[in-house]
Amino acid sequence: MEELKRKIVELKEKDPIKMKELEEKFEFLRFDVIRTKKEAENQEIVLAEAKGNWIKDNTEENLASMNEEEGNLEIAKLHYRYAVEKMELLKSVVFLLS
């Protein structure tokens, strides 16, 4: 990300008006990547707790809870991968512009 930030700064020096939007987009995407990564990590913790509850008390309710949390983890991972892909697209645009 540091190299991408550096390229954006270089481009901004060449054309500050056009690159202002690109810089804002980068900051938003960077925040989105960090946020979605944190959400996936938190969901892994929630899933581990649900698995622990199911191991302690092997009930249908705990099994259903564990399965739901597994699904939530997959969704969180998808959100993170999507955020990373958006950042990669921005990276491609920046390198094409430079």
Side-chain angles (χ1 to χ4, degrees), residues 77-90:
K77 285 180 178 180
L78 285 173
H79 288 167
Y80 174 64
R81 283 192 294 262
Y82 181 63
V84 169
E85 285 177 17
K86 288 189 294 187
M87 183 62 86
E88 288 298 317
L89 285 172
L90 180 66

Side-chain angles (χ1 to χ4, degrees), residues 10-97:
E10 289 173 10
L11 288 170
K12 190 176 177 190
E13 290 172 359
K14 293 177 185 175
D15 191 351
I17 295 169
K18 285 184 180 178
M19 293 303 118
K20 178 74 174 151
E21 184 179 324
L22 189 64
E23 186 176 36
E24 289 170 357
K25 185 67 135 178
F26 169 76
E27 290 301 324
F28 172 76
L29 291 176
R30 186 176 68 83
F31 173 76
D32 200 34
V33 167
I34 292 167
R35 181 186 58 81
T36 56
K37 181 179 182 184
K38 186 69 175 169
E39 286 175 1
E41 290 170 349
N42 287 339
Q43 188 57 43
E44 287 177 341
I45 293 168
V46 170
L47 175 58
E49 290 172 356
K51 283 182 178 180
N53 289 337
W54 182 70
I55 289 169
K56 282 190 252 177
D57 186 12
N58 194 351
T59 64
E60 288 296 318
E61 182 181 308
N62 285 340
L63 179 61
S65 175
M66 183 181 72
N67 288 335
E68 181 180 342
E69 297 306 341
E70 284 177 337
N72 291 340
L73 177 58
E74 289 305 312
I75 291 168
K77 285 180 178 180
L78 285 173
H79 288 167
Y80 174 64
R81 283 192 294 262
Y82 181 63
V84 169
E85 285 177 17
K86 288 189 294 187
M87 183 62 86
E88 288 298 317
L89 285 172
L90 180 66
K91 185 177 179 181
S92 297
V93 167
V94 168
F95 284 106
L96 287 173
L97 290 172

